[in-house]
Amino acid sequence: MSDIDEIVQLVTITGERHIHPDFSTYVDDIDMAELRRLYEDMVVVRRIDAEATALQRQGQLGLWAPLLGQEAAQIGSARALDAEDFVFPSYREHGVAYCRGVAIEEMMPFWRGTSLSGWDPHEHNIATPAIIIGAQTLHAAGYGMGLNLEGAGSAVITYFGDGATSQGDVSEAMGFAASFAAPVVFFCQNNQWAISEPVTLQSKTPIVNRGRGYGMPTVRVDGNDVLAVLAVTRAALELAREGGGPTFIEAVTYRRGPHTTSDDPTRYRTAADDAEWIRRDPIERIRLLLEAAGALSDEDAKLIGEHADAAAAELRRGCLALDDPPALSIFDDVYAEPHPLIDAERREYAAYLDTLEA
């Protein structure tokens, strides 16, 4: 794969599919039935995201990182993965977790604060959410180097935002991956805002150039075009599995909601900013394409909506059914074996809790 300067797009905002000389062949197998399944994925994860946001506003979750607007970037890349590939996400990849088979109710404990995790990473080949900005890229680089040592034929993908590219962890991860030809896909979701600051503040050139500095192939893709994202991610994964080393993908998209539910985006961006990106909505363009091809009937749309509502209801039930963990459980699983320091801290904390009950 050579560096791609233009933003790769296979479906326009008005729902027209066109050919790209380098990437269209990677999605030749995506007929209208497959495209409808990608559309359904995006509809479902948007509905899940909306329900989780509502749960946080109702006091049932401590925090939530919405993905509204980034559905195509997540679904397109996740559906490019093979079962044995491994994912290191940040904290916003709920759509990726959904595609990896994580049960909807397993997404809730981490955000409700009833668990330090939520799911078994080895069961689904996806690590649990990483809160430390950029740390997961180092984990991905190390995992990829391990795959090389084992002679495995699989790959690893790691997700991060545009803001994370200014972190030293990301720089070090790309340095190691490039030096050791680790089979890692660095997938940057450039959603235009690193919390309250625009991407133009931290980078005067496209974010994709940061990958070029490490000598790895890079590509910019329309992150609101699920088909284009699928194609470029398949190409990068193919290169990784064949021993070609890492690739840097910049998916140009937009975070339509807050950074997290503790944020108020109206304080730093305008309605006009949002309006331009709403026009580029990832779900709407695929709906237009499917309808024009006669591949999305009213009954299809109704069934997809019912599936999305059922998923949201399942998420709500799973969230509300979670019990608060015992206070002393915070000391469990800190170390694999008993540790005298942890035992002492547990006793001290238990004594403190006893004073509250007196």
Side-chain angles (χ1 to χ4, degrees), residues 114-160:
T114 61
S115 170
L116 298 177
S117 179
W119 61 79
D120 180 353
H122 299 292
E123 181 181 352
H124 304 291
N125 274 9
I126 178 172
T128 50
I131 292 297
I132 301 172
I133 305 296
Q136 70 278 7
T137 61
L138 283 172
H139 307 156
Y143 190 97
M145 290 165 65
L147 290 176
N148 279 348
L149 291 172
E150 292 177 353
S154 57
V156 57
I157 188 170
T158 181
Y159 293 86
F160 50 96

Side-chain angles (χ1 to χ4, degrees), residues 47-199:
R47 182 68 182 87
I48 290 171
D49 183 65
E51 192 69 19
T53 300
L55 283 165
Q56 193 282 329
R57 299 307 191 200
Q58 294 160 10
Q60 299 298 333
L61 295 179
L63 190 71
W64 183 253
L67 61 75
L68 178 62
Q70 298 180 223
E71 296 87 356
Q74 295 195 18
I75 298 303
S77 58
R79 290 304 186 196
L81 297 165
D82 286 345
E84 64 270 20
D85 295 331
F86 205 95
V87 180
F88 288 93
S90 70
Y91 42 75
R92 201 184 304 279
E93 280 71 53
H94 321 301
V96 178
Y98 172 81
C99 290
R100 296 305 278 174
V102 174
I104 291 171
E105 64 270 17
E106 290 182 306
M107 300 181 190
M108 293 294 97
F110 178 85
W111 300 100
R112 191 169 168 88
T114 61
S115 170
L116 298 177
S117 179
W119 61 79
D120 180 353
H122 299 292
E123 181 181 352
H124 304 291
N125 274 9
I126 178 172
T128 50
I131 292 297
I132 301 172
I133 305 296
Q136 70 278 7
T137 61
L138 283 172
H139 307 156
Y143 190 97
M145 290 165 65
L147 290 176
N148 279 348
L149 291 172
E150 292 177 353
S154 57
V156 57
I157 188 170
T158 181
Y159 293 86
F160 50 96
D162 47 287
T165 62
S166 292
Q167 292 285 347
D169 283 2
V170 177
S171 175
E172 293 163 5
M174 291 196 290
F176 271 98
S179 295
F180 293 95
V184 181
V185 176
F186 291 93
F187 194 94
C188 175
Q189 292 177 87
N190 176 3
N191 63 24
Q192 311 304 314
W193 293 93
I195 306 184
S196 60
E197 300 293 355
V199 67

Side-chain angles (χ1 to χ4, degrees), residues 232-247:
V232 300
T233 309
R234 280 179 168 180
L237 289 166
E238 178 183 272
L239 181 68
R241 296 186 193 109
E242 292 176 351
T247 297

